[in-house]
């Protein structure tokens, strides 16, 4: 009789617990890999805000704290349940969606790290 068969016969609950833990670990490992590959893609960085995006998505895309993006949008509390989209936030605040997106885009451009701006010329260099 194999070792696995003996373990299963003598300790079925421990084996089930181990298999459940292993399955859960694999789920989180796959989730981590997908998340990492998605955000490592340069096409997902510094995206122009759109109505379907959430404040968290915008924050990830621009590498900013979610609280700063939420504060810029006028959100003082974290909403319960599913995070609202930018379009839903505009409707709730009675603001035109295009105006909210333009305001947010201007703020995001101002938050861009200095490393993306061209380096200043040194004195004596053309």
């Amino acid at each position: 009789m194999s070792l696995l068969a003996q373990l299963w016969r003598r300790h079925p609950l421990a084996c089930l617990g181990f298999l459940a833990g292993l399955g859960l670990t694999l789920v989180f490992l796959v989730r981590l890999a997908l998340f990492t590959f998605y955000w490592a893609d340069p096409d997902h960085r510094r995206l122009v805000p759109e109505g379907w995006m959430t404040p968290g998505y915008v924050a990830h895309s621009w590498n900013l704290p979610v609280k700063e993006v939420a504060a810029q949008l006028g959100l003082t509390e974290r909403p319960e349940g599913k995070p609202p989209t930018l379009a839903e936030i505009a409707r709730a605040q009675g603001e035109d969606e295009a105006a909210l997106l333009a305001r947010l885009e201007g703020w995001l451009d101002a938050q861009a790290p200095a490393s993306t701006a061209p380096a200043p010329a040194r004195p004596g260099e053309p």
Side-chain angles (χ1 to χ4, degrees):
M1 186 179 299
S2 75
L3 178 61
L4 290 176
Q6 287 178 1
L7 281 173
W8 178 255
R9 185 168 290 148
R10 291 182 184 173
H11 307 286
L13 290 178
C15 288
L16 286 175
F18 176 76
L19 290 174
L22 184 63
L24 197 59
T25 300
L26 289 175
V27 166
F28 282 111
L29 189 68
V30 168
R31 187 173 183 262
L32 173 67
L34 292 175
F35 186 82
T36 301
F37 289 133
Y38 182 83
W39 288 110
D41 183 357
D43 291 341
H44 296 123
R45 292 190 204 139
R46 297 177 47 100
L47 292 175
V48 174
E50 295 182 28
W52 61 266
M53 295 177 178
T54 63
Y57 187 95
V58 173
H60 277 292
S61 180
W62 285 78
N63 196 27
L64 294 169
V66 178
K67 288 183 179 182
E68 285 184 22
V69 175
Q72 178 60 28
L73 293 169
L75 300 175
T76 55
E77 298 177 358
R78 183 176 179 172
E80 302 258 342
K82 182 182 164 202
T85 63
L86 298 178
E88 292 168 347
I89 293 169
R91 265 185 303 226
Q93 295 176 350
E95 185 176 359
D96 181 51
E97 181 181 334
L100 180 129
L101 294 175
R103 180 171 50 89
L104 180 60
E105 184 177 355
W107 179 80
L108 289 169
D109 287 338
Q111 301 303 310
S115 62
T116 60
R122 293 181 184 165
E125 288 184 4

